[in-house]
Amino acid sequence: SSRVLWTLAVTQLFICLLSFQRKTMFRRSLALVSRSEGVFGRSVAQVRFFATENAVSQKAVAGDIDGAFAALAEMKKAGSTPCADTLSSLINASVQKKNLTRALQVLMEMESAKVQPQTAHVNGLIGLLAEKNAMGEATSVYRFAKTNKVPTDATTISSLVKLYLNNRNVDAAVALVSDVRKDKALVESVRAALKRDNVPEAQINAALAKPKIELH
């Protein structure tokens, strides 16, 4: 009788241990599945993000500006922020298509995404504004570049100087050149660029002349 009881006790203990092991394994399996789903979810999100970014860039390069902006809106709606390369391709395409409104919109997108524009972006915008004789807007883009520490070059300065001279605003040209006068090589590059653009020598000299009164 005692042997039977002992056998029943051992059997019950074995069943309990087996049940415990199964529960432990089940919990571990659930945790593993949960982690796998998390990784899988992140992977799907990443794939969607890159696919949308790729769509923006492809449409921009193809010249489909409206389609690129639609893809950009879809990306932002999903809570994603476009990268520097995507915004760069978008602003370049907008300038190439002479779509000033879209180009300026991308510039604001860059500021929002904390992406620093490149010198080429600034020059493209100023060149496009100069074609439209939009002196005030071109000056604003230049100030934006300075505020955001975007490097400018001879193309930037010469485009603005030429725009100011075309509007007979010699004072603005002189003030702009004074802003970069310490860089003598840059000033000479600006002079050469203005000559290539067939700006009269007298106007070039007037724009590059030192102001009569300089504040120290």
Side-chain angles (χ1 to χ4, degrees):
S1 177
S2 60
R3 181 175 294 180
V4 171
L5 289 174
W6 182 84
T7 303
L8 287 174
V10 170
T11 303
Q12 185 66 34
L13 178 62
F14 177 76
I15 292 172
C16 289
L17 286 173
L18 184 61
S19 176
F20 176 77
Q21 285 181 339
R22 285 177 177 174
K23 287 180 181 179
T24 302
M25 289 179 67
F26 180 70
R27 290 195 190 99
R28 288 177 179 174
S29 298
L30 281 179
L32 181 61
V33 169
S34 178
R35 286 198 297 270
S36 299
E37 285 180 345
V39 171
F40 179 73
R42 288 195 296 273
S43 298
V44 170
Q46 287 174 347
V47 169
R48 287 176 179 169
F49 170 76
F50 289 123
T52 311
E53 275 218 323
N54 191 43
V56 175
S57 298
Q58 284 185 340
K59 290 178 183 297
V61 171
D64 182 8
I65 305 301
D66 290 337
F69 269 89
L72 179 66
E74 183 181 338
M75 177 188 292
K76 292 173 66 180
K77 186 178 180 181
S80 300
T81 302
C83 71
D85 289 341
T86 300
L87 293 174
S88 179
S89 63
L90 197 50
I91 194 170
N92 288 336
S94 299
V95 170
Q96 188 175 7
K97 285 290 184 178
K98 298 187 184 299
N99 193 326
L100 181 59
T101 302
R102 289 300 199 186
L104 290 172
Q105 185 178 343
V106 181
L107 190 66
M108 295 302 102
E109 290 283 351
M110 286 181 160
E111 186 176 29
S112 176
K114 296 181 180 179
V115 171
Q116 187 182 44
Q118 300 170 13
T119 304
H121 300 149
V122 172
N123 290 346
L125 270 170
I126 289 177
L128 189 55
L129 287 163
E131 287 181 18
K132 298 179 180 295
N133 201 36
M135 188 170 64
E137 289 85 348
T139 303
S140 295
V141 171
Y142 174 70
R143 288 173 179 165
F144 174 89
K146 286 189 63 179
T147 301
N148 289 277
K149 298 180 180 179
V150 181
T152 54
D153 57 15
T155 301
T156 318
I157 306 303
S158 62
S159 297
L160 283 169
V161 168
K162 186 179 177 182
L163 178 59
Y164 294 151
L165 293 176
N166 286 342
N167 284 274
R168 298 183 179 183
N169 194 337
V170 178
D171 290 342
V174 171
L176 176 63
V177 174
S178 295
D179 195 37
V180 297
R181 188 172 298 283
K182 290 181 180 180
D183 190 340
K184 294 182 180 179
L186 175 60
V187 174
E188 289 307 310
S189 295
V190 170
R191 183 187 295 277
L194 293 172
K195 283 184 177 180
R196 285 195 300 271
D197 288 339
N198 298 315
V199 177
E201 189 73 26
Q203 290 187 12
I204 294 176
N205 291 335
L208 301 186
K210 290 184 180 181
K212 294 180 181 178
I213 300 176
E214 291 187 345
L215 297 178
H216 297 281

